[in-house]
């Protein structure tokens, strides 16, 4: 277990959850489902069941380091890695893995987003432990796949073959970014595809070899800092290194190109909580399908299948709405049909261009 590490990626701005999620206080730092704990706190607590507390690292934007420290006060300062600019997931993983390699070349690492929901923690712990063990023995890159319950167009898909490693790991054939409805339907009915959970497991040597092979320039940038990691020179080095990195995801930069990628089919009640509709699916609803969060002062007339998230002291009366998202936070009210929620990012962009950053 001392060779097991967890890297939690917590740098996103969560714009699809606007106006609750703001640039200054994004989704991962919010208790979106009303559980009493924020998403990053839940993620951290899950990994405490798998790796020692001192082996958990959070990679986040420099602007959020104080938020991480506030919500996870048990972390040491050197467990919170700050990124000076947003450069997607490949640089963030390269940074954390080079840093860990300097501490422990025998490390096996699980990398996970901070803002996903896992309903079955016991099953999750079992799957991650199995993957970390397998990664320590094999030169492979493991990704976790979720058995699809419906042909969802909001997820990436992983196609696997029947060639296995350690019995439960299946060789990956293809990755497909969010497909259209027809393709998603074909994928699910074929039985050869899983949803891409964006959770990865590998030994530090396997992932650094993959960086060297597929993102060589980026690997060289971080390799130059090997002598600086875990010293006072780390921060100045990173401030400079990040600006030299291309903006690229680990999926596109490495996972889609490497030949030693395996997927573990899992079923631990996962949701990426990517949209208001996904929160609606997981929320308690009344007999008309309405989910009202945090408030006792919402009155509904002739309304069904809505999700309402407003301040608890606000009286809200809705009449004649079906399938709507009604959200109020930070002096902003948004009323949006569920079928149009993919436009929230576009709305945020329009608000920014019209009113500046005050509401963003």
């Amino acid at each position: 277990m001392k060779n097991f590490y967890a890297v939690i990626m917590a740098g996103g701005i969560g714009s699809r959850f606007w106006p609750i999620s703001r640039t200054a206080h994004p989704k991962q730092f919010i208790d979106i489902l009303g559980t009493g704990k924020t998403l990053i706190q839940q993620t951290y607590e899950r990994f405490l069941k798998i790796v020692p507390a001192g082996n958990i690292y959070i990679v986040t934007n420099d602007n959020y380091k104080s938020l991480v420290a506030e919500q996870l006060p048990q972390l040491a300062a050197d467990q919170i890695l700050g990124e000076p600019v947003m450069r997607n997931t490949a640089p963030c993983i390269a940074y954390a893995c080079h840093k860990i390699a300097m501490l422990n070349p025998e490390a096996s690492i699980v990398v996970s987003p901070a803002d996903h929901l896992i309903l079955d923690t016991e099953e999750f712990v079992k799957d991650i432990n199995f993957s970390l063990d397998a990664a320590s023995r094999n030169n492979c890159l493991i990704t976790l796949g979720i058995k699809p319950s419906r042909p969802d167009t909001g997820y990436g898909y992983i196609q696997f073959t029947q060639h296995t490693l350690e019995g439960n790991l299946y060789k990956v054939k293809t990755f497909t970014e969010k497909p259209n409805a027809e393709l998603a339907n074909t994928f699910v009915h074929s039985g050869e595809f899983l949803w891409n959970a964006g959770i990865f497991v590998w030994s530090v040597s396997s992932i650094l070899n993959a960086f060297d092979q597929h993102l060589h320039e980026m690997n060289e940038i971080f390799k130059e800092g090997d002598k600086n990691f875990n010293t006072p020179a780390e921060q100045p080095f990173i401030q400079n290194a990040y600006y030299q990195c291309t903006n690229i995801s680990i999926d596109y930069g490495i996972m889609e190109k490497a030949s030693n990628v395996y997927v573990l089919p899992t079923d631990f009640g996962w949701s990426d909580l990517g949209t208001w509709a996904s929160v609606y699916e997981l929320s308690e609803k009344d007999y008309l399908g309405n989910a009202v969060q945090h408030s006792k002062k919402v009155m509904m007339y002739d309304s069904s299948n809505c999700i309402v998230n407003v301040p608890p002291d606000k009286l809200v009366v809705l009449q004649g709405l079906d399938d709507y998202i009604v959200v109020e936070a930070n002096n902003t009210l948004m009323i949006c049909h569920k079928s149009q929620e993919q436009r929230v990012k576009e709305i945020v962009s329009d608000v920014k261009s019209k009113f500046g950053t005050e509401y963003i």
Side-chain angles (χ1 to χ4, degrees):
M1 197 167 154
K2 67 179 171 51
N3 289 340
F4 290 176
Y5 290 76
V7 173
I8 300 171
M9 301 181 289
I13 57 172
S15 59
R16 285 182 294 182
F17 275 96
W18 184 83
I20 297 271
S21 176
R22 305 292 277 262
T23 305
H25 197 94
K27 166 189 164 194
Q28 57 270 31
F29 303 109
I30 298 170
D31 175 11
I32 280 186
L33 292 170
T35 61
K37 290 194 174 129
T38 65
L39 294 173
I40 194 170
Q41 287 170 332
Q42 290 183 48
T43 303
Y44 175 79
E45 285 178 12
R46 268 196 302 277
F47 283 119
L48 278 181
K49 298 177 193 297
I50 300 167
V51 309
N55 290 9
I56 299 177
Y57 290 87
I58 314 285
V59 190
T60 190
N61 190 284
D62 276 338
N63 297 332
Y64 304 144
K65 281 174 80 173
S66 58
L67 264 175
V68 173
E70 185 187 307
Q71 294 201 358
L72 300 172
Q74 55 276 68
L75 288 173
D78 69 350
Q79 289 174 270
I80 305 173
L81 315 187
E83 302 179 281
V85 284
M86 288 176 75
R87 283 290 187 269
N88 216 317
T89 52
C92 123
I93 290 170
Y95 173 16
C97 291
H98 272 274
K99 180 180 170 76
I100 291 168
M102 290 297 101
L103 292 168
N104 183 353
E106 300 298 308
S108 288
I109 304 168
V110 52
V111 178
S112 164
D115 54 2
H116 289 184
L117 177 76
I118 308 290
L119 293 173
D120 188 344
T121 300
E122 206 176 299
E123 188 69 15
F124 177 79
V125 168
K126 185 167 73 78
D127 286 338
I128 299 296
N129 275 323
F130 168 80
S131 301
L132 285 163
D133 274 331
S136 69
R137 289 190 293 269
N138 299 281
N139 174 27
C140 62
L141 309 175
I142 300 167
T143 183
L144 268 58
I146 310 295
K147 292 167 186 169
S149 57
R150 59 189 182 277
D152 200 302
T153 58
Y155 298 140
Y157 285 74
I158 301 167
Q159 185 183 23
F160 59 94
T161 69
Q162 290 309 306
H163 176 69
T164 62
L165 181 69
E166 304 238 342
N168 294 2
L169 297 167
Y170 291 80
K171 189 100 163 48
V172 170
K173 190 174 180 181
T174 61
F175 285 88
T176 306
E177 279 305 303
K178 301 170 184 177
N180 61 32
E182 194 183 339
L183 206 49
N185 208 30
T186 306
F187 286 174
V188 172
H189 285 99
S190 76
E192 292 175 16
F193 289 80
L194 300 163
W195 287 338
N196 186 355
I199 300 169
F200 308 103
V201 181
W202 39 54
S203 69
V204 75
S205 56
S206 293
I207 189 60
L208 292 185
N209 284 340
F211 266 102
D212 192 44
Q213 197 175 340
H214 304 291
L215 287 174
H216 183 72
E217 279 180 29
M218 186 180 292
N219 195 52
E220 289 298 306
I221 291 165
F222 287 101
K223 212 165 156 185
E224 274 179 38
D226 281 353
K227 61 184 181 300
N228 302 317
F229 291 124
N230 311 300
T231 77
E234 180 175 324
Q235 264 313 100
F237 167 76
I238 286 299
Q239 292 294 322
N240 180 43
Y242 257 71
Y243 286 97
Q244 300 171 52
C245 290
T246 48
N247 186 336
I248 190 168
S249 72
I250 194 77
D251 300 75
Y252 187 69
I254 289 180
M255 302 305 279
E256 292 181 18
K257 298 184 173 117
S259 59
N260 59 336
V261 179
Y262 289 80
V263 64
L264 177 69
T266 61
D267 192 8
F268 41 65
W270 170 88
S271 169
D272 73 343
L273 287 181
T275 60
W276 280 112
S278 63
V279 173
Y280 171 79
E281 293 298 325
L282 293 156
S283 299
E284 213 172 290
K285 303 167 194 71
D286 67 14
Y287 71 103
L288 288 170
N290 294 311
V292 177
Q293 300 180 306
H294 314 309
S295 179
K296 300 276 188 287
K297 294 183 179 176
V298 176
M299 300 171 72
M300 316 274 281
Y301 297 90
D302 310 317
S303 296
S304 53
N305 305 313
C306 294
I307 179 165
V308 184
N309 187 315
V310 294
D313 57 344
K314 172 78 70 172
L315 172 62
V316 176
V317 182
L318 299 180
Q319 195 282 323
L321 289 188
D322 179 47
D323 243 17
Y324 271 82
I325 300 158
V326 180
V327 186
E328 184 184 341
N330 307 301
N331 206 20
T332 303
L333 170 66
M334 183 184 78
I335 302 168
C336 171
H337 198 273
K338 275 210 226 106
S339 67
Q340 297 299 307
E341 71 164 352
Q342 297 294 346
R343 296 185 63 188
V344 173
K345 274 190 166 182
E346 181 191 324
I347 291 164
V348 171
S349 174
D350 290 347
V351 169
K352 189 176 179 180
S353 62
K354 195 160 187 180
F355 299 109
T357 55
E358 183 188 346
Y359 297 98
I360 304 303

